[in-house]
Amino acid sequence: MEKIYDVVIIGAGPAGLSAGLYAARAKMSALILEKSKTGGQIASTEEVANYPGSIENASGPSLVARMVEQCKEFGAEMEKDTIVSVKFDEKIKVLVGEKNTYYARSVIAAPGASPRLLDVPGEKEFTGKGVSYCATCDADFFTDFEVFVVGGGDSAVEEAIFMTRFARKVTIVHRRDELSAAKSIQEKAFKNPKIDFMWDTVITEIKGDGVVEAITLKNVKTGETTEHQAHEDDGTFGIFVFVGYLPQTGIFKDLLDMDKAGYFITDDNMKTNIPGVFAAGDCRVKSLRQVVTAVSDGAIAAVQAEKYVENNFHDEA
Ligand code: NAP
């Protein structure tokens, strides 16, 4: 007989790890499933500036490591697997993964969001060969090289500042003439002598031979296009893309209510339209997608899942 968990949590970002901690501390049998990197987006964030108590040198990976340790200490299990389909029509919910099938009395969906692509020719071909979505992972490869950072939000500007520790020069390419990043982050960037800005500009093509060697840039106001070539001595340069994220909610399509962009619609208790299925974190319709709101969602979802299991499976325990 397969094990039936009180709660299976899909996603080991801050929302999923917080849910795992609260569920395990409530003595629920809890399994956290993650398909790629534990920690979600903060696993590739150099500085977590907006999380209370997180001050100098509080890197994303170190925060994740502590969250994981805490979850395990209280007995939450963790597995690497990609859930490919779910069945929510019976009392016991079924999650079919690439490796295993999992059974749960309740489910917390915390699949997060993944980087939005530029969707231009050459982007896929040169991913890992000059194009990156993770400064923490790849900044070091561009020590003393030139780097372009695309985007104007918090991620782009913060990661551009981080990149200046490595790169010779960092150019922020933004499609408008003002940034949307928090003012405090903008101020730091404007003061940084290594950061330049290309306003009203998008990258339309990425070219090279094995590695990135050139990009085509277009001014969206004038329509003018220019080509940027790698410096002769460098032979290549980096392109770091931070143009927002897309919710990873595809497998729940037609089952769980979502808005037009694919974000889950829940109530304040993280309840979805299916009893016993909760959603938490960046995958949810909300006004602020931050670690602090993700961990709050996870805690609420776990407490609600515990109540659901207690009310619906009490006699079977
Ligand atoms: P974001 O706030 O959605 O910003 C995306 C940026 O990419 C915007 O500047 C947008 O331009 C641009 N963009 C979107 N699609 C584009 C395209 N196809 N081509 C070129 N540019 C494009 O995303 P984010 O910066 O990743 O932040 C996501 C969330 O995480 C936010 O809530 C943010 O506050 C949070 N965050 C917080 C921190 C922190 O507090 N320390 C750090 C990182 C992220 P437009 O402005 O023209 O739309």
Side-chain angles (χ1 to χ4, degrees), residues 41 45 47-51 116-120 150-159 173-182 185 201-203 241-245 282 287-291:
Q41 288 168 48
T45 303
E47 197 184 333
V48 182
N50 275 1
Y51 189 57
R116 180 184 283 131
L117 307 186
L118 290 178
D119 203 16
V120 297
V150 189
D154 286 338
S155 300
V157 182
E158 273 198 347
E159 300 305 323
V173 179
H174 184 37
R175 65 181 179 183
R176 292 189 297 122
D177 61 3
E178 60 178 357
L179 303 170
S180 56
I185 301 172
T201 302
V202 291
I203 292 177
V241 179
F242 298 105
V243 295
Y245 292 85
D282 283 6
S287 61
L288 184 65
R289 293 195 176 88
Q290 300 264 291
V291 179

Side-chain angles (χ1 to χ4, degrees), residues 24 38 112 142-143 148 153 172 177 202 206-207 217 219 237-238 257 264 266 283 288 301-303:
T38 305
F142 295 96
T143 301
F148 288 81
I172 294 181
D177 61 3
V202 291
I206 300 166
K207 290 175 269 192
L217 297 149
N219 183 303
F237 56 88
D257 290 346
F264 293 132
T266 69
C283 59
L288 184 65
V303 169

Side-chain angles (χ1 to χ4, degrees), residues 99-121:
K99 292 189 197 158
N100 283 311
T101 298
Y102 307 90
Y103 300 88
R105 297 184 177 92
S106 68
V107 170
I108 298 175
S114 67
R116 180 184 283 131
L117 307 186
L118 290 178
D119 203 16
V120 297

Side-chain angles (χ1 to χ4, degrees), residues 30-273:
L31 172 67
I32 307 171
L33 295 168
E34 174 57 52
K35 67 173 177 181
S36 54
K37 213 192 253 174
T38 305
Q41 288 168 48
I42 57 159
S44 45
T45 303
E46 186 51 29
E47 197 184 333
V48 182
N50 275 1
Y51 189 57
S54 180
I55 46 175
E56 279 165 42
N57 302 324
S59 75
S62 74
L63 184 58
V64 171
R66 278 177 278 138
M67 286 182 182
V68 168
E69 195 184 326
Q70 209 179 2
C71 272
K72 288 187 172 165
E73 197 180 304
F74 288 103
E77 293 175 36
M78 294 183 75
E79 292 276 352
K80 281 258 180 278
D81 203 352
T82 302
I83 299 303
V84 289
S85 66
V86 291
K87 287 180 206 143
F88 292 157
D89 45 356
E90 304 278 338
K91 201 172 168 197
I92 297 295
K93 280 122 182 98
V94 183
L95 303 125
V96 181
E98 282 176 358
K99 292 189 197 158
N100 283 311
T101 298
Y102 307 90
Y103 300 88
R105 297 184 177 92
S106 68
V107 170
I108 298 175
S114 67
R116 180 184 283 131
L117 307 186
L118 290 178
D119 203 16
V120 297
E123 182 179 26
K124 285 209 174 106
E125 182 186 346
F126 292 105
T127 295
K129 296 167 186 159
V131 176
S132 171
Y133 305 86
C134 174
T136 315
C137 321
D138 298 329
D140 191 37
F141 296 131
F142 295 96
T143 301
D144 295 331
F145 283 78
E146 198 183 356
V147 153
F148 288 81
V149 171
V150 189
D154 286 338
S155 300
V157 182
E158 273 198 347
E159 300 305 323
I161 295 166
F162 170 68
M163 292 292 311
T164 61
R165 293 192 216 161
F166 303 83
R168 185 172 75 229
K169 179 184 169 195
V170 176
T171 304
I172 294 181
V173 179
H174 184 37
R175 65 181 179 183
R176 292 189 297 122
D177 61 3
E178 60 178 357
L179 303 170
S180 56
K183 289 280 178 265
S184 58
I185 301 172
Q186 291 194 28
E187 276 166 22
K188 265 189 178 174
F190 289 138
K191 272 192 214 148
N192 192 313
K194 276 190 170 182
I195 298 182
D196 268 359
F197 294 87
M198 266 189 187
W199 302 110
D200 302 314
T201 302
V202 291
I203 292 177
T204 56
E205 190 172 358
I206 300 166
K207 290 175 269 192
D209 185 6
V211 291
V212 170
E213 291 172 355
I215 45 174
T216 307
L217 297 149
K218 182 180 173 189
N219 183 303
V220 292
K221 282 196 175 150
T222 65
E224 186 194 353
T225 60
T226 49
E227 182 121 336
H228 177 86
Q229 295 277 352
H231 191 279
E232 240 182 10
D233 297 338
D234 297 339
T236 188
F237 56 88
I239 303 162
F240 285 76
V241 179
F242 298 105
V243 295
Y245 292 85
L246 298 170
Q248 296 300 290
T249 54
I251 57 163
F252 303 97
K253 201 168 170 277
D254 301 328
L255 282 176
L256 299 185
D257 290 346
M258 298 175 192
D259 72 358
K260 272 193 198 145
Y263 290 97
F264 293 132
I265 297 167
T266 69
D267 69 4
D268 288 349
N269 283 326
M270 310 302 139
K271 289 180 184 167
T272 68
N273 50 303

